[in-house]
Amino acid sequence: EAGVAQSPRYKIIEKRQSVAFWCNPISGHATLYWYQQILGQGPKLLIQFQNNGVVDDSQLPKDRFSAERLKGVDSTLKIQPAKLEDSAVYLCASSPLGTSGRNHEQYFGPGTRLTVT
Amino acid sequence: QQQVKQSPQSLIVQKGGISIINCAYENTAFDYFPWYQQFPGKGPALLIAIRPDVSEKKEGRFTISFNKSAKQFSLHIMDSQPGDSATYFCAASHSGSARQLTFGSGTQLTVLP
């Protein structure tokens, strides 16, 4: 079974530029998460989708961050304009939560390392 | 109340030794406690998880001990190997939060050969 795919793996941009990250979850997983992981810290949830609906985006800085999950499969996370403090690894995770059964384990992709200069 | 506190921040163990990482939580609604292992440049990978209806769960060299009354849980890595050198995160979730994971701050484990 293929894992969670993310691209690009690395991105360097200047502050005030925009950037987009892409995630393809494990096939059949209804729930998709975007996390921000700052160096030396645990992942912090930004947004949770179930199918193509938003479950929780309370931690998403909506003045500069946006995310969508069209057709309930792939998702994109965008930052516009980027700030220095956005330098982090952006992780996508997916889970069978919301499909049949009780399994809600989360499986993470490799992440995108963003450096804002 | 959503925090999960993890210690130590870093841990150095000799090959063959026992590595112990501790976590504590406040929210009594938490009912699922996974541990994730993360290697540099990789995403976190689920290692082992426990629910509060049991006090211990063992999978190979990895054991979770759970103390519901103290609101603490720990990861024990027996016969630690250099390949276990990674960052370990504890986490917690409950159904009322749509199963969102609250992560600890991480423990960087180094196993010396």
Side-chain angles (χ1 to χ4, degrees):
Chain A
E1 179 181 76
V4 176
Q6 290 188 247
S7 66
R9 292 296 314 279
Y10 306 93
K11 191 73 176 179
I12 301 174
I13 62 172
E14 295 181 351
K15 60 183 180 183
R16 291 186 291 272
Q17 286 187 324
S18 63
V19 64
F21 313 125
W22 173 82
C23 173
N24 179 241
I26 293 173
S27 177
H29 280 193
T31 300
L32 184 147
Y33 308 82
W34 283 102
Y35 289 87
Q36 180 192 58
Q37 185 176 25
I38 293 173
L39 186 64
Q41 298 182 18
K44 172 190 163 187
L45 181 70
L46 292 173
I47 188 168
Q48 177 183 359
F49 293 94
Q50 185 163 312
N51 298 310
N52 59 353
V54 175
V55 173
D56 185 356
D57 63 356
S58 60
Q59 300 298 309
L60 190 72
K62 299 180 189 65
D63 57 333
R64 298 183 301 106
F65 287 65
S66 64
E68 61 182 9
R69 191 184 184 197
L70 299 176
K71 301 181 182 179
V73 182
D74 293 2
S75 178
T76 57
L77 175 70
K78 297 179 182 178
I79 307 175
Q80 181 179 14
K83 292 185 176 181
L84 296 176
E85 59 260 37
D86 298 332
S87 293
V89 175
Y90 291 85
L91 294 163
C92 178
S94 71
S95 166
L97 178 67
T99 58
S100 59
R102 295 179 56 204
N103 188 354
H104 52 77
E105 294 176 352
Q106 292 187 29
Y107 301 86
F108 284 80
T112 297
R113 181 175 297 277
L114 174 66
T115 302
V116 182
T117 64
Chain B
Q1 205 182 22
Q2 284 292 107
Q3 281 188 327
V4 177
K5 295 182 179 180
Q6 183 171 346
S7 64
Q9 186 175 6
S10 62
L11 181 61
I12 300 175
V13 173
Q14 293 286 340
K15 178 182 175 182
I18 302 174
S19 303
I20 302 174
I21 304 170
N22 301 298
C23 285
Y25 63 97
E26 290 294 323
N27 189 346
T28 55
F30 285 144
D31 63 1
Y32 173 70
F33 303 89
W35 284 89
Y36 281 83
Q37 179 188 56
Q38 187 175 28
F39 292 104
K42 306 289 187 182
L46 180 63
L47 193 59
I48 186 173
I50 197 168
R51 297 184 188 278
D53 52 345
V54 296
S55 61
E56 186 175 283
K57 183 175 181 179
K58 182 177 181 179
E59 290 184 2
R61 297 184 294 108
F62 300 91
T63 300
I64 299 178
S65 296
F66 186 82
N67 186 329
K68 188 174 181 178
S69 61
K71 292 184 286 186
Q72 295 176 349
F73 58 109
S74 60
L75 176 69
H76 296 237
I77 306 174
M78 312 299 288
D79 186 26
S80 299
Q81 299 296 313
D84 297 330
S85 297
T87 301
Y88 293 80
F89 293 95
C90 62
S93 76
H94 62 88
S95 59
S97 67
R99 289 296 172 194
Q100 294 167 11
L101 289 172
T102 298
F103 281 87
S105 54
T107 297
Q108 187 167 352
L109 172 65
T110 302
V111 182
L112 300 176

